[in-house]
């Protein structure tokens, strides 16, 4: 499993986004078509979020964003539920195959000031919505020849509170 994360300030691409040539290099035609349907502020947030996603995907693949595969070959589309769905084409798909990445999961978030994205590359095809994360990770690790997988049962996660009963990250109790 590979992880890639990227954060950038909204507006940092403002000059770049004014040039059609750069837009066509950075974004897939589907992404540009969707961006054109948005208002100015939302369009900027959308394009910055997609750029952060491409950076995160490039990190998963172990390549530079402007190196082995052009950014427009890393399209970030939307699935039927509206969630971001990475689609790799051309050299980006080749880089994923070389890196042993068979599937990608992506999350994008933004505020008025920042855009952030996190991408996870799975070495074997798996759909974590259909089975537990622990099972998916175990299968992926076993496929790579790693046999020492210790699943953490749900009962091992202790709920924690901070101050007036607000939730805090759970602590894991190891047997």
């Amino acid at each position: 499993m590979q992880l890639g994360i990227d954060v950038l300030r909204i507006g940092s691409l403002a000059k770049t986004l004014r040039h059609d040539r750069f837009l066509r290099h950075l974004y897939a035609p589907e992404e540009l078509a969707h961006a054109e349907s948005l208002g100015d502020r939302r369009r900027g947030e959308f394009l910055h979020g997609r750029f952060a996603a491409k950076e995160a995907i490039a990190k998963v693949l172990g390549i530079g964003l402007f190196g082995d595969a052009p950014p427009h070959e890393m399209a970030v589309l939307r699935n039927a539920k509206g969630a971001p769905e990475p689609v790799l084409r051309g050299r980006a798909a080749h880089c994923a195959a070389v890196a042993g990445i068979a599937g990608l999961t992506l999350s994008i978030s933004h505020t008025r000031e920042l855009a952030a994205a996190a991408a996870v590359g799975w070495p074997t095809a798996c759909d974590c919505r259909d089975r537990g994360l622990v099972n998916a990770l175990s299968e992926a690790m076993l496929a790579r020849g790693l046999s020492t997988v210790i699943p953490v049962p749900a009962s091992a996660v202790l709920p924690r509170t901070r101050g007036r009963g607000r939730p805090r990250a759970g602590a894991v109790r190891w047997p």
Side-chain angles (χ1 to χ4, degrees):
M1 178 175 68
Q2 298 291 331
L3 174 67
I5 298 172
D6 191 64
V7 178
L8 74 144
R9 186 170 304 284
I10 301 286
S12 61
L13 300 174
K15 290 181 183 178
T16 303
L17 299 180
R18 290 188 205 127
H19 301 283
D20 287 338
R21 188 177 125 220
F22 289 123
L23 284 172
R24 288 190 311 273
H25 181 69
L26 293 175
Y27 302 99
E30 302 94 333
E31 294 169 314
L32 291 174
H34 184 75
E36 290 305 315
S37 71
L38 304 171
D40 286 340
R41 192 184 107 239
R42 178 66 183 110
R43 178 181 181 267
E45 290 173 358
F46 174 83
L47 292 174
H48 280 80
R50 290 309 194 258
F51 187 85
K54 292 167 188 282
E55 285 275 12
I57 291 169
K59 290 172 183 174
V60 167
L61 301 179
I63 62 174
L65 187 60
F66 298 103
D68 299 328
H72 66 267
E73 291 184 351
M74 296 177 234
V76 180
L77 308 179
R78 297 169 67 175
N79 68 17
K81 295 182 179 181
E85 184 173 297
V87 176
L88 303 181
R89 300 174 176 139
R91 289 174 282 181
H94 174 75
C95 290
V98 169
I101 303 297
L104 284 168
T105 302
L106 180 65
S107 180
I108 304 171
S109 184
H110 56 78
T111 65
R112 289 183 180 182
E113 296 85 25
L114 296 173
V120 176
W122 303 98
T124 59
C126 67
D127 187 346
C128 294
R129 293 168 296 198
D130 293 338
R131 55 185 177 257
L133 178 60
V134 171
N135 292 339
L137 289 172
S138 296
E139 289 177 19
M141 292 178 76
L142 290 172
R144 287 206 169 181
L146 302 173
S147 59
T148 54
V149 178
I150 303 171
V152 179
S155 61
V157 178
L158 303 173
R160 302 287 302 262
T161 60
R162 175 182 10 176
R164 291 169 232 138
R166 292 180 299 192
R168 186 174 109 190
V172 176
R173 176 182 62 217
W174 294 94

